[in-house]
Amino acid sequence: MVRLFFHIREGNRMSKDQEGAEFENVEAARMEAVRSARELLSQRVLNGEEIDGQVFELTGDDGTVMATVRFRDVLRLHER
């Protein structure tokens, strides 16, 4: 098990996850970050907010970044 924190970086600003959560491994945490990013994006779209530039930084207890998930990368866009 690994405890990771899902901090949200937007440019120079950082919203820190104070609680964190335990996951079986980093990949399981990354998949949860993808789901969470999609959920947050849906709210931003409904509110007419910008959806470019936000990133989840998944960090360990010591602050080491174990994975990143860019919000815009979780969108599935149809190409013509």
Side-chain angles (χ1 to χ4, degrees):
M1 295 294 279
V2 61
R3 182 171 199 75
L4 294 175
F5 298 84
F6 285 38
H7 305 310
I8 299 175
R9 179 174 298 283
E10 189 168 1
N12 292 329
R13 292 181 296 167
M14 173 82 79
S15 296
K16 292 199 171 198
D17 172 5
Q18 300 297 322
E19 296 178 27
E22 290 190 5
F23 296 91
E24 186 173 320
N25 54 44
V26 174
E27 182 58 23
R30 193 188 73 72
M31 294 307 299
E32 179 62 29
V34 167
R35 285 188 288 276
S36 295
R38 287 179 177 153
E39 188 175 315
L40 290 169
L41 282 173
S42 69
Q43 287 299 319
R44 288 179 182 262
V45 168
L46 286 172
N47 293 332
E49 297 174 16
E50 184 177 324
I51 60 169
D52 189 28
Q54 298 83 20
V55 177
F56 269 125
E57 290 185 356
L58 284 61
T59 66
D61 287 324
D62 65 356
T64 301
V65 177
M66 306 297 284
T68 58
V69 174
R70 295 186 323 171
F71 282 30
R72 67 179 174 187
D73 290 345
V74 304
L75 297 174
R76 295 179 60 194
L77 302 175
H78 176 71
E79 292 188 33
R80 295 178 190 230

